[in-house]
Amino acid sequence: MTSSTRKPASLHVIWQALKTWYDDWFNLFILNFLVDIGWLTIILGPPMLFGLYEIGNELAHGRSNGAGELLQSAKRHFLASWQWAIINIVADVVIVVNMVFYWQLGKSWSIILVSIFLFLGLFWLTMQFYAIPYYMEQTTKSLKVAFKNAALTILGAPGYALVMFLYAAFWMMVSFIFILPLILAAPSLVVVTGDYAVIERLQEFGISDKG
């Protein structure tokens, strides 16, 4: 196939993730349900999310795992997942507080600052699509490196990142509108897509092995 007729990388990733998700949909439906229960407890929410991302990473590498591995993964990543959650809470609060503060000033220059913080918020949100998948691809786990790689991925391929962000946002929006069964299915599809996207980027950058 010539380069002129090749499917864009982002669409190829989306298609791969859809096929993988469809082939393992019932298992992922159950895992998604368990993750939802984890979020209801609050304390188990982040660890179960990390567990689902590890399951998605394994799926992207051709290996399917069930509920037992989800729980083991959640246990392994308990501390890291809460570090990730706390970092996100702090970042979100800082961004929102600054946006509200500068918006209330009502000055022309303050609107510029509101726009800057809005952009930073969207950038940070987009980073989360890649951060945990990058973390799962590492041999030596580091949230700092995962966040850095997520940011560099967006800066290095903004068009790719925009397509992925809009795709993920679409499925999450559909989930919240229709609740069930999509809320039990769409999150796992977003997770698998994120894992595939990171693996594709690593291959594109010539770093196909975990590290």
Side-chain angles (χ1 to χ4, degrees):
M1 184 178 293
T2 64
S3 58
S4 61
T5 58
R6 282 184 58 191
K7 186 185 300 181
S10 56
L11 298 183
H12 179 67
V13 164
I14 289 171
W15 177 243
Q16 273 191 312
L18 277 169
K19 288 195 298 182
T20 299
W21 178 87
Y22 179 79
D23 289 340
D24 204 38
W25 75 268
F26 187 71
N27 180 48
L28 288 172
F29 181 87
I30 293 173
L31 298 181
N32 223 139
F33 178 71
L34 293 175
V35 173
D36 288 341
I37 293 175
W39 278 110
L40 291 177
T41 71
I42 299 178
I43 190 73
L44 294 178
M48 292 291 277
L49 178 63
F50 268 56
L52 186 61
Y53 267 102
E54 184 164 338
I55 296 292
N57 179 271
E58 290 290 302
L59 264 179
H61 286 289
R63 301 179 291 270
S64 177
N65 291 297
E69 182 58 29
L70 174 69
L71 297 176
Q72 289 298 317
S73 297
K75 182 179 178 180
R76 281 195 298 272
H77 302 300
F78 187 91
L79 291 178
S81 69
W82 267 104
Q83 289 174 351
W84 169 85
I86 291 170
I87 290 170
N88 270 276
I89 291 171
V90 172
D92 292 343
V93 168
V94 169
I95 290 169
V96 171
V97 167
N98 275 279
M99 286 180 63
V100 171
F101 174 76
Y102 288 115
W103 179 263
Q104 289 178 339
L105 291 180
K107 306 293 185 180
S108 57
W109 58 266
S110 67
I111 301 302
I112 297 174
L113 291 175
V114 170
S115 301
I116 291 173
F117 277 102
L118 176 61
F119 173 79
L120 290 175
L122 291 174
F123 188 86
W124 178 258
L125 185 61
T126 305
M127 279 177 56
Q128 305 318 304
F129 179 79
Y130 300 102
I132 305 178
Y134 267 120
Y135 180 83
M136 293 304 166
E137 272 293 299
Q138 297 169 358
T139 300
T140 303
K141 306 298 185 187
S142 168
L143 283 174
K144 180 180 179 180
V145 173
F147 282 129
K148 182 190 75 173
N149 288 339
L152 291 175
T153 296
I154 298 170
L155 295 173
Y160 180 96
L162 178 61
V163 171
M164 290 301 172
F165 174 78
L166 294 176
Y167 179 74
F170 166 78
W171 280 114
M172 299 311 295
M173 180 182 66
V174 168
S175 294
F176 285 115
I177 291 174
F178 295 102
I179 310 300
L180 292 175
L182 286 177
I183 199 169
L184 299 177
S188 62
L189 177 57
V190 172
V191 165
V192 173
T193 305
D195 285 309
Y196 264 111
V198 161
I199 291 171
E200 188 279 333
R201 288 293 87 185
L202 289 173
Q203 292 173 344
E204 178 69 18
F205 300 149
I207 313 172
S208 58
D209 296 327
K210 289 191 176 186

